[in-house]
Amino acid sequence: MANNITYKVLWIDDQVAFDPDFVEGYQIKAEAYDIDLCPVSNWQDARKLLYDNSEDYSAIIFDAECKMNAEDPEECGFINKVLNDLNKFFGKKQIDIPWYILSAGTMDGFETVMNVAQYSHAEYDEEWGNMVYSKTAPSQEANSRDKLFENIQKVASGQTVNKVLFRYQETFQYMGEGKLIDKEARSIMLKMLSQLHYPEENPRFEYQGNPLRKVLEHLFRAAHKIGLLPDDCFDNRGQLNLLDANRYMSGLEMNHVKLRYGQIYDKEKKQDVDTIFPKYMGYITKAILNFSSANSHTSEENEYTINDKDLIIDEGEKELFFGYVLQLCHVIKFFGHFVETHNNKEENLKMIKKVYN
């Protein structure tokens, strides 16, 4: 399998706000190392991106002298203020994202600032590599930007999240910001698959929020957006009837309204032909819904949006849980392939058929 993984790196440098050629040159260079360099001109904007999508970024690059927000002049003590904020964030999220300083080194007191920053970086030096790199050093030098990108590529390729993304890249190509299935589903799948393959990295993992049903709900909502699921699957509060959605996707008649996807029976072929999920996949998704409903806090058969009901898993059920996680990968991949050949919403809506008994 070809490596189609790119490593998103948050890059904070005030020059990106007024020098597009500077940005383009760095991005082109980074692409050679499978790095998607995401430029931001100040810490306030970068902080929001990081806090909202922390699992997306494999590393962070700072200029030594930058702005805390877009309106302010360059901040004295920028690095120290940012690192203080970043360390609080790492503690709250219980994560560590490799960070580096790429600077021309012309600011007053540069060495002093770097010495203070190195104190925060020191415990990670062995894992993350050198902290500081020069914008002006020749590419062959150990502290050049090329060596920084080379180092980030090496570090990122060994990160758990990126190893999972590589292993399941055919599944994750359909999930995330601006993709077919919402980014929350991507985050949930990353957490579950990371726990499956690397449980030692998170011994306190909890199966909160009924993640199996949440991922299926995001998939069904994606189907609705492209016309592969009728409005009738939703109530007047916008809540999704998961069981009816699953029946429709599986080529069956919905329970609450007599609708199905496509033609019931092809007389020439003597078989049911119009369906989104083949029969075996409909069994898989129904089993996931049944399993996650039976193991929720509530004992009733809950067919609507689950909100924050928790999934309770004991030691004896972990194998079942992770078995369904792997089956979800297959379902997502199949659905993504299906949409690639059924991406016309108007044509998809024509497949909503009334069933007459």
Side-chain angles (χ1 to χ4, degrees), residues 54-253:
S54 58
E55 72 275 5
D56 286 351
Y57 298 105
S58 298
I60 306 168
I61 299 173
F62 300 104
D63 187 16
E65 196 171 24
C66 195
K67 297 181 178 182
M68 293 300 291
N69 61 65
E71 289 73 33
D72 286 349
E74 288 182 348
E75 283 278 346
C76 180
F78 169 78
I79 286 292
N80 292 338
K81 292 177 182 178
V82 166
L83 292 182
N84 183 54
D85 197 4
L86 196 62
N87 288 332
K88 289 178 182 178
F89 170 70
F90 287 165
K92 182 178 179 180
K93 290 278 191 176
Q94 295 186 321
I95 60 170
D96 290 306
I97 302 174
W99 55 268
Y100 306 92
I101 297 172
L102 177 63
S103 174
T106 57
M107 62 179 284
D108 293 338
F110 179 77
E111 291 299 327
T112 301
V113 171
M114 292 304 102
N115 288 337
V116 174
Q118 185 61 59
Y119 180 80
S120 296
H121 197 274
E123 64 178 302
Y124 303 106
D125 281 352
E126 184 175 349
E127 180 183 355
W128 295 351
N130 294 336
M131 178 191 75
V132 61
Y133 295 82
S134 171
K135 292 180 178 180
T136 57
S139 59
Q140 68 272 16
E141 294 294 321
N143 66 335
S144 67
R145 68 173 184 179
D146 296 72
K147 293 300 180 181
L148 169 59
F149 295 151
E150 181 182 317
N151 182 53
I152 289 175
Q153 182 188 50
K154 178 182 177 182
V155 172
S157 65
Q159 291 172 334
T160 295
V161 166
N162 288 323
K163 287 190 285 188
V164 169
L165 287 172
F166 175 75
R167 183 174 293 188
Y168 296 97
Q169 58 188 277
E170 289 186 74
T171 296
F172 282 104
Q173 67 178 312
Y174 299 112
M175 293 185 287
E177 191 77 43
K179 295 188 178 180
L180 176 62
I181 303 174
D182 189 81
K183 67 179 183 179
E184 185 188 13
R186 178 183 184 273
S187 178
I188 294 170
M189 290 298 292
L190 270 175
K191 289 176 182 177
M192 294 192 296
L193 288 167
S194 296
Q195 185 65 20
L196 169 62
H197 292 288
Y198 305 98
E200 70 283 356
E201 295 188 10
N202 188 9
R204 294 180 294 177
F205 178 79
E206 296 180 2
Y207 305 82
Q208 294 180 336
N210 217 328
L212 295 171
R213 287 174 72 104
K214 279 189 175 179
V215 172
L216 266 183
E217 180 179 336
H218 282 301
L219 185 150
F220 291 151
R221 288 183 179 274
H224 175 252
K225 286 182 180 179
I226 201 164
L228 291 172
L229 202 63
D231 294 340
D232 305 80
C233 286
F234 296 83
D235 66 16
N236 57 12
R237 297 169 297 170
Q239 289 189 320
L240 173 64
N241 185 320
L242 293 170
L243 295 181
D244 260 357
N246 192 63
R247 287 183 64 83
Y248 184 87
M249 297 280 285
S250 304
L252 301 174
E253 177 185 327

